[in-house]
Amino acid sequence: MSEAVSRRRALGLLGAVGAGCAAGCVPEPPPGTQPRKAPAPAPAAATRADAGARVDALLERLTLEEKTVLLHGAPDPAPLGQAGYVPGIPRLGIPALRLADGPAGVRVAKPATALPAPVLLASAFDPALAREYGRVLGREGRALGQDVLLSPMVNLIRTPYAGRNFETFSEDPKLTADLVAEVVRGIQDEGLIATVKHFALNNQEKGRDTVDVIAAERTLHETELRGFEAAVAAGAGAVMGAYNKVNGVYACENKPLDELLRGRWGFDGWVMSDWDAAHSTVASIGAGLDMEMPGGTHYGAPLREAVRGGSVHESAVDLAVRRILVTMDRFGLLAERPAARPARDPAAGAATARRVAAAGAVLLRNERATLPLTGAAARSVAVIGPTGRTPFVSGGGSAHVVPDAAATPLAAIRRRAGAGSTVSYALGEDLYGRPLPGNLLSPAAAFDDRAVDAGRTWTHEGTFRLAADDEWTLLVHYTGKRPAVRLDGEELFPVRQGVAEHFAGGLLGSAPDGLAVRRRTLALKAGEHRLAVTAEGGPRGQRLRLRHTTRATRAADLAEAVKAAKEARSVVLFAYEDATEGSDRTSLGLPGGQAALIEAVSAANPRTTVVLNTSSSTTMPWLRRTGAVLQMYYPGQEGADATADLLFGDVDPGGRLTQTFPADERATPVGADPVRYPGVGGRQEYAEGVHVGHRWYDAQRVAPLFPFGHGLSYTTWQYEKLVVRPGGPRGGTGGSGGTGGSAGLRVEFTVRNTGRRKGTEVAQVYVGPSPDLKLDQPVRALAGYRRLTLAPGEARRVSLDIDARTLSSWDPERHAWVVGSGRREVFAGRSSRELPLRAKAVVATG
């Protein structure tokens, strides 16, 4: 049963500092929590005392207009293609700030290392690898002229429909907190300011600008907020406010969120708005919003007028400026001689990208020893699918990165298969269309690779006739202003509003040669149709193509794929789902004709491996026909070689699911209730309470397609000799290690590689509810994990400490964490649903 709370009470209690705890409360900060440490400062950074004096001196000299200049974005006079720019004050030596998107690589106009999507990083269950990932982001951001990285994204995977699930980490609060903290540390190790986003409850794209998210105090603390708290504890320099409302108030003017962030957690950096997410001047600055991005709609002239008119005291402006300047000084940006920017190291970035892609890959299914490819099966391979020949590097929107280079999976597989092998290719599904026949229209016209000179306009209008009803997909490829294409008087590709116009996907939005692409699928009746095209050359001229697919071309592609499958010993079929910021998914199934393609190819050759380049969980009505399924998400620029490493067994698939894959779209934590998602009348309720992700499946006894933590290996594993005893750390928001205290638990067990191959395993520990707490609790909560690589026959004794925070629940009456004392059950195993070991131990209150 979920905790219920009124909107008024949620607003009043969200930021309350938990005073007067009775026995069993974990005081703030929790016992055992280490003091929050700033990252290693840049070489020229000042001491705290010097920084305070320097900032005080700057504030005394700044005019009101100059202060407000520092509080909002502006056009960059020398843009680098980044997301934002804040002018400095040259006369006082305050430099400008450049802010770049970057959850999976630094997004600027120049090429950068395109890392695997964060959800793939998270699947490795490896905080040390997350730190390395962050360091690549930090070094590249500094090298590419940036000062602030708008990363990491911390919001939980609450609904599988959310368009940005690939940009974040997990449905699990603890795993998210562990990994986010290390990514923040990694970014800031290199002197780049990390911005944790989106604070808070920005868990969908549909209605994200206006939806009012209603979540109880306890729900907030035990789910969504845990990752943000961990990022603050790791020293994040900035926080980005979300678009949506939280309990009735826009996140960027939400005083309870600010009280929580700065009052309870002690955050001392600055808070910026998401782009155009600020809605006010007085309310926003009063609620702790320090910076409006990307312009000064509310924090430019209106803020100065508010100060002069008395509705905003200038001390509030000073406080916002101070937070920004103190953070800049902490990273050496105000020093007389700021640290030199490093050079890019593309080779090191590529090595990390490949390591992450291989480490996070999840082998979901492997029947009949389909994988790894060995012997004759490795020497005769058919590669099928459009993303077998066009590398799917990253998702769409602000996470999309232009890589230095990206090999195709087909080329990587051919290299790895080696001389004497036969690796064929079949398209399977056409994403970019075939040229229209030259004689299709009357009068005739050539629509493929049409050039329009600068300053000119090209138009053509004609008719064509269909002998029978058909389904067409029409596609326009272009380099300049989008051409107008009208069919029977209807504009096929109208300009859409907002980010939906700009963020068209990481795969489908552009052709392999870089031309922008838009597509439209239509049911056309037999008879005559009129097609009109108008293209403007603009100041630089442009190229365009008009292409199409039909039922006949799709049938031909399918037949070619089936033929290739029959002629090969093994099939590797690449399937895709292109998610992007700005829109949610409309289905959890694969788009287009891919389900039918997989069914037909698997029927022709049961040794078919499906490689999924998808953003989040996927339904698989075709699953039982396949030999193997390898989940690669969006694998970054080195995804092709990493995929080949896994297919041929050079690397054991050591990734595990960080989100539950549902068996049915209706059987998810939000799937059967529109009030939970996407909301009704602009209002959405987190009625699942603390039962987010795998916790909901356990509480409702719903069988998933694949559970949280699931992942197969090329070897076999055995778990033995579980021992649980009181001990371990008492507090903390991060990882599962620590020492001292008596309120935690120490868990020990043995993991043995019982197979014939070296392998990687992720051992997982879950804890059951406390009998002493009269609060709704998860059936099992993730309490710890350990990534292990063992040789054949090797065994290792694993020791994990479960801290008091993990053993606690948030008590909405006390407004504090309360240790779940009493006899608790502990489970160990390979996933949230495969837990062969269990034991009980008493948790003390200290």
Side-chain angles (χ1 to χ4, degrees):
M1 181 175 65
S2 300
E3 170 202 0
V5 68
S6 69
R7 177 181 298 185
R8 179 185 59 79
R9 190 176 181 209
L11 285 168
L13 300 182
L14 175 60
V17 177
C21 290
C25 291
V26 179
E28 295 292 335
T33 301
Q34 297 299 313
R36 187 170 60 80
K37 296 179 180 179
T47 65
R48 183 177 293 272
D50 289 343
R54 178 156 48 249
V55 170
D56 287 343
L58 288 171
L59 276 168
E60 288 180 3
R61 299 177 64 191
L62 285 165
T63 67
L64 176 61
E65 184 163 355
E66 288 172 333
K67 291 173 185 175
T68 59
V69 163
L70 296 173
L71 299 186
H72 65 80
D76 189 344
L80 303 175
Q82 79 282 3
Y85 172 81
V86 178
I89 308 297
R91 75 177 185 89
L92 297 179
I94 300 174
L97 287 174
R98 287 187 168 90
L99 304 85
D101 289 314
V106 181
R107 189 171 186 259
V108 293
K110 296 180 179 180
T113 299
L115 291 162
V119 69
L120 183 54
L121 165 71
S123 300
F125 279 73
D126 189 344
L129 188 61
R131 182 83 168 248
E132 182 182 342
Y133 184 100
R135 294 195 72 148
V136 171
L137 293 172
R139 181 186 178 96
E140 291 227 327
R142 290 273 298 148
L144 291 166
Q146 304 304 301
D147 308 294
V148 182
L149 192 69
L150 307 177
S151 176
M153 179 176 171
V154 183
N155 306 104
L156 293 182
I157 297 175
R158 177 177 178 261
T159 168
Y161 292 98
R164 300 180 78 175
N165 281 349
F166 66 94
E167 289 188 56
T168 190
F169 295 83
S170 172
E171 69 187 19
D172 186 81
K174 174 178 171 50
L175 179 62
T176 298
D178 291 354
L179 300 177
V180 161
E182 293 307 313
V183 171
V184 166
R185 292 184 179 105
I187 292 168
Q188 298 190 161
D189 283 346
E190 301 296 323
L192 193 68
I193 300 170
T195 306
V196 60
K197 63 184 187 182
H198 310 84
F199 192 59
L201 301 177
N202 183 181
N203 299 115
Q204 65 189 60
E205 295 301 281
K206 191 166 186 176
R208 70 176 184 176
D209 296 327
T210 57
V211 67
D212 185 7
V213 183
I214 308 302
E217 179 186 348
R218 182 171 175 229
T219 300
L220 280 163
H221 281 277
E222 290 200 31
T223 61
E224 174 85 355
L225 295 183
R226 189 165 179 182
F228 289 97
E229 183 182 5
V232 169
V239 169
M240 180 187 289
Y243 285 112
N244 50 278
K245 297 175 184 176
V246 176
N247 292 324
V249 180
Y250 279 111
C252 288
E253 54 189 52
N254 195 306
K255 187 64 175 176
L257 285 179
D258 179 66
E259 291 170 351
L260 174 69
L261 183 66
R262 292 189 165 108
R264 182 177 290 277
W265 296 344
F267 176 66
D268 57 6
W270 88 82
V271 177
M272 71 181 76
S273 74
D274 205 338
W275 271 224
D276 295 314
H279 293 270
S280 64
T281 300
V282 177
S284 292
I285 200 162
L289 182 71
D290 303 306
M291 181 182 288
E292 178 192 7
M293 293 301 294
T297 302
H298 303 287
Y299 275 26
L303 180 56
R304 294 191 292 274
E305 292 168 7
V307 171
R308 293 176 182 130
S311 57
V312 172
H313 196 281
E314 191 164 354
S315 62
V317 175
D318 290 348
L319 180 58
V321 173
R322 177 183 295 278
R323 289 165 176 158
I324 295 167
L325 293 180
V326 166
T327 306
M328 291 176 67
D329 199 75
R330 171 183 156 198
F331 285 83
L333 300 179
L334 299 183
E336 289 186 20
R337 294 188 181 87
R341 293 187 182 272
R344 279 194 68 215
D345 189 346
T352 297
R354 183 166 178 173
R355 187 156 50 250
V356 171
V362 184
L363 184 60
L364 297 176
R365 173 179 170 86
N366 193 20
E367 299 295 317
R368 304 178 294 276
T370 299
L371 291 181
L373 300 175
T374 59
R379 294 191 295 272
S380 173
V381 183
V383 175
I384 295 172
T387 47
R389 191 170 63 185
T390 300
F392 198 163
V393 174
S394 57
S398 58
H400 190 66
V401 179
V402 178
D404 292 295
T408 70
L410 176 61
I413 290 170
R414 281 177 171 161
R415 276 196 305 272
R416 179 56 183 81
S421 299
T422 300
V423 179
S424 62
Y425 176 74
L427 181 63
E429 180 172 271
D430 190 347
L431 297 185
Y432 305 109
R434 288 167 164 75
L436 291 170
N439 60 354
L440 173 71
L441 288 185
S442 178
F447 288 102
D448 211 47
D449 208 18
R450 165 72 63 173
V452 183
D453 292 336
R456 304 296 295 273
T457 298
W458 179 80
T459 63
H460 187 83
E461 185 170 349
T463 61
F464 66 94
R465 178 172 292 277
L466 293 182
D469 293 354
D470 203 349
E471 183 180 88
W472 279 30
T473 296
L474 277 164
L475 305 96
V476 61
H477 302 205
Y478 58 98
T479 60
K481 179 182 177 181
R482 186 186 310 159
V485 181
R486 294 183 300 280
L487 182 66
D488 298 330
E490 180 188 0
E491 174 57 55
L492 296 186
F493 310 109
V495 175
R496 295 179 291 178
Q497 296 298 311
V499 295
E501 170 61 25
H502 303 289
F503 296 155
L507 175 71
L508 301 178
S510 60
D513 62 355
L515 271 67
V517 176
R518 295 294 185 271
R519 54 182 50 74
R520 178 81 174 272
T521 299
L522 302 157
L524 299 184
K525 295 292 187 180
E528 187 173 274
H529 297 273
R530 179 166 293 276
L531 182 69
V533 180
T534 301
E536 298 177 13
R540 300 179 182 177
Q542 78 156 312
R543 292 166 50 217
L544 72 119
R545 297 187 286 254
L546 192 63
R547 293 190 168 184
H548 77 320
T549 63
T550 67
R551 284 182 181 144
T553 67
R554 290 190 287 274
D557 290 336
L558 182 62
E560 179 194 24
V562 169
K563 181 175 182 292
K566 288 179 177 178
E567 293 173 351
R569 294 292 296 270
S570 300
V571 175
V572 180
L573 191 158
F574 286 84
Y576 73 91
E577 177 262 317
D578 193 9
T580 183
E581 178 180 356
S583 61
D584 283 345
R585 304 162 75 189
T586 57
S587 168
L588 303 188
L590 294 172
Q594 292 183 97
L597 174 65
I598 295 171
E599 291 270 7
V601 168
S602 299
N605 189 331
R607 292 186 60 83
T608 293
T609 296
V610 176
V611 178
L612 291 171
N613 293 134
T614 55
S615 67
S616 191
S617 56
T618 304
T619 51
M620 304 180 194
W622 38 263
L623 180 66
R624 292 188 180 278
R625 285 191 178 271
T626 64
V629 179
L630 181 64
Q631 176 64 251
M632 292 296 298
Y633 296 107
Y634 300 153
Q637 68 180 52
E638 303 301 315
D641 284 316
T643 301
D645 291 340
L646 290 150
L647 292 172
F648 288 89
D650 301 331
V651 175
D652 192 49
R656 302 294 182 261
L657 290 181
T658 68
Q659 57 190 304
T660 307
F661 278 39
D664 187 304
E665 295 204 25
R666 295 162 295 183
T668 75
V670 300
D673 187 353
V675 174
R676 297 188 187 189
Y677 173 82
V680 175
R683 188 176 188 273
Q684 178 186 67
E685 296 182 12
Y686 279 36
E688 68 273 20
V690 300
H691 302 291
V692 65
H694 59 96
R695 300 175 179 182
W696 179 89
Y697 288 86
D698 289 342
Q700 299 298 319
R701 298 182 180 180
V702 172
L705 182 64
F706 297 111
F708 175 89
H710 171 76
L712 304 177
S713 169
Y714 292 151
T715 188
T716 54
W717 302 93
Q718 184 172 318
Y719 284 68
E720 306 168 340
K721 302 173 184 176
L722 174 65
V723 176
V724 184
R725 62 178 183 273
R730 295 191 49 161
T733 60
S736 55
T739 58
S742 60
L745 294 175
R746 174 151 292 173
V747 181
E748 295 181 358
F749 54 94
T750 297
V751 178
R752 187 181 305 277
N753 181 349
T754 55
R756 298 180 179 180
R757 299 175 60 99
K758 179 181 177 182
T760 298
E761 173 70 327
V762 176
Q764 301 161 47
V765 173
Y766 296 79
V767 64
S770 162
D772 294 346
L773 290 183
K774 306 307 178 186
L775 295 169
D776 189 24
Q777 300 171 68
V779 175
R780 281 180 296 275
L782 181 67
Y785 49 88
R786 181 69 51 79
R787 185 178 177 91
L788 306 165
T789 299
L790 301 180
E794 183 182 359
R796 187 171 303 172
R797 191 71 177 163
V798 175
S799 179
L800 290 173
D801 288 326
I802 306 177
D803 63 21
R805 171 61 65 86
T806 302
L807 294 168
S808 298
S809 295
W810 182 265
D811 188 332
E813 298 299 324
R814 301 175 181 179
H815 317 304
W817 290 100
V818 180
V819 174
S821 59
R823 195 169 181 82
R824 307 282 294 265
E825 193 164 18
V826 175
F827 309 82
R830 306 196 65 242
S831 78
S832 64
R833 291 292 179 96
E834 187 178 346
L835 298 166
L837 303 183
R838 59 182 61 194
K840 292 184 178 181
V842 174
V843 175
T845 56

